[in-house]
Amino acid sequence: MAAKASRQSTRRSVPTTPLLAPAGIARLGGPAAQSAVPLLRHAWFTPHTFERAAYLRAVVALDPGNTDSLLTEGLWDCESDVRQFAAERVSLDDMTRKQLSYLRDDPMETLDVRATAAARLS
């Protein structure tokens, strides 16, 4: 029984494979890793919202010139990690400035996202 409980607690403490895969692909880099970008873009639509930050980081690392739409969408994401990452990197235009202003002023937003949005607007 103790061994089974130990295995179960170990499994819960290790990040899930979906979170490790995009980070590993981005670390590898190069043409082989870049071939995974379409899969990573598809994974953006995962029902597991907590995974989107990892997918977005990987796409930005592997295909930085083609991420404007994902970064813009990320400003409205339900996950604060995604909003913060997007706020740090999104191209500034009227729409993204307006959303960054909203994030900066939203009392329900996390302090990190609010600070990042404020920094980008200053």
Side-chain angles (χ1 to χ4, degrees):
M1 288 281 221
K4 182 178 180 182
S6 175
R7 281 193 307 271
Q8 287 175 340
S9 68
T10 301
R11 274 189 232 133
R12 279 187 232 126
S13 66
V14 176
T16 59
T17 302
L19 293 174
L20 294 175
I25 292 168
R27 263 194 317 276
L28 290 173
Q34 288 173 334
S35 69
V37 168
L39 294 172
L40 292 168
R41 286 182 179 279
H42 181 72
W44 173 257
F45 300 102
T46 178
H48 307 286
T49 60
F50 66 91
E51 297 172 353
R52 280 201 296 266
Y55 295 131
L56 185 56
R57 284 185 187 96
V59 171
V60 167
L62 295 170
D63 194 18
N66 296 306
T67 58
D68 285 344
S69 64
L70 283 178
L71 289 169
T72 299
E73 185 177 339
L75 293 176
W76 280 266
D77 199 82
C78 65
E79 295 291 333
S80 62
D81 289 350
V82 174
R83 291 190 306 276
Q84 182 168 357
F85 186 82
E88 291 168 351
R89 291 165 177 78
V90 71
S91 296
L92 298 177
D93 59 27
D94 290 343
M95 181 175 62
T96 59
R97 280 188 182 91
K98 184 176 179 180
Q99 183 61 10
L100 286 169
S101 294
Y102 177 81
L103 293 173
R104 176 197 63 203
D105 300 336
D106 182 0
M108 297 299 290
E109 186 55 80
T110 67
L111 293 177
D112 290 339
V113 173
R114 291 179 75 184
T116 300
R120 283 300 306 278
L121 292 167
S122 62

